[in-house]
Amino acid sequence: MLIEAMRTAYDPGIARVQALLPRLGRIRRVSVRYEKRSARYDLVLAGEQTNIFDPAMGGGALRDLGVYPLHALVLLFGEPNGIQGARVGIASGADGLGSALARYDGFVADVAWSKITDTALPSEIQGEEASLRIDAIDAPRRLVLTPHGGSAEVIEVEAPENTMVGEVERFRDAVRGADVSADQDRTAATLRLVDAVAAEPAN
């Protein structure tokens, strides 16, 4: 059995986000992000090459971290009608960070990723009836649902301490014969988005 081990797809936090979407009303804007400065960026700044920032090894922020918010976007809303991105290059020849704008029927989604900066900003889904703030798109644990004109509701997500439990369980089920065609379709759609964003050279 060969499947992409995209742990966020099998995280209980993402499932909770998905379950809350009907309470938001018509979706109008989505902002998802995964930005975390890598300790190995210091090696690049010192003039060294390292695998995660080596374009010859598929390194760079888009393929390492950008796939997480892009995959979450596909899982929650399907493949967008189109996507345009921009990336910032670093001395190693790879991209250090980037952003993309994805177009859906009736709403837009902005995606951000970085391996050279940190952020305290959450991800957010805005609907006409409510908004949903997500502490971390790769492993949602604290969600804040705020109805239009109402008070915020904090939702804590219970999850195993090890974030890889869900993907291991999914692999077990796949070995036992579970249909993973939807899993594979999400992976393929995510890779199409990555390829589309990567088609433009990093500046």
Side-chain angles (χ1 to χ4, degrees):
M1 173 57 61
L2 177 65
I3 60 172
E4 167 61 48
M6 181 58 73
R7 63 175 175 79
T8 52
Y10 315 111
D11 189 278
I14 287 290
R16 194 65 182 275
V17 169
Q18 197 167 33
L20 289 169
L21 290 180
R23 294 180 59 183
L24 307 185
R26 187 174 184 183
I27 303 301
R28 288 304 195 179
R29 179 184 296 279
V30 177
S31 298
V32 286
R33 60 194 335 112
Y34 193 2
E35 298 167 283
K36 186 176 181 181
R37 190 184 192 279
S38 169
R40 282 182 275 182
Y41 182 47
D42 292 332
L43 297 175
V44 176
L45 294 176
E48 300 179 36
Q49 186 63 285
T50 180
N51 59 345
I52 63 168
F53 287 113
D54 186 350
M57 299 184 71
L62 173 61
R63 289 186 170 89
D64 192 15
L65 296 188
V67 293
Y68 289 98
L70 287 171
H71 189 275
L73 196 65
V74 170
L75 188 152
L76 293 170
F77 303 106
E79 190 169 357
N81 299 326
I83 191 167
Q84 290 179 302
R87 298 177 297 142
V88 173
I90 57 175
S92 69
D95 64 307
L97 59 78
S99 296
L101 187 66
R103 302 183 306 278
Y104 286 86
D105 292 336
F107 72 94
V108 294
D110 55 271
V111 186
W113 59 90
S114 175
K115 287 185 70 67
I116 61 174
T117 60
D118 286 317
T119 186
L121 294 174
S123 293
E124 186 178 52
I125 302 171
Q126 300 174 12
E128 292 186 351
E129 303 301 324
S131 64
L132 181 66
R133 196 163 66 243
I134 305 161
D135 61 343
I137 198 63
D138 64 307
R141 297 295 177 264
R142 189 174 191 272
L143 311 175
V144 180
L145 191 150
T146 306
H148 176 65
S151 300
E153 173 188 350
V154 177
I155 301 154
E156 303 287 350
V157 178
E158 292 186 8
E161 184 177 347
N162 189 322
T163 58
M164 296 188 178
V165 168
E167 72 178 57
V168 172
E169 291 176 341
R170 182 59 173 162
F171 181 72
R172 174 204 62 200
D173 294 343
V175 170
R176 291 176 175 173
D179 182 3
V180 294
S181 57
D183 308 60
Q184 307 287 41
D185 289 345
R186 283 195 305 269
T187 294
T190 303
L191 291 176
R192 284 192 291 271
L193 297 181
V194 169
D195 287 345
V197 173
E200 290 294 326
N203 296 324

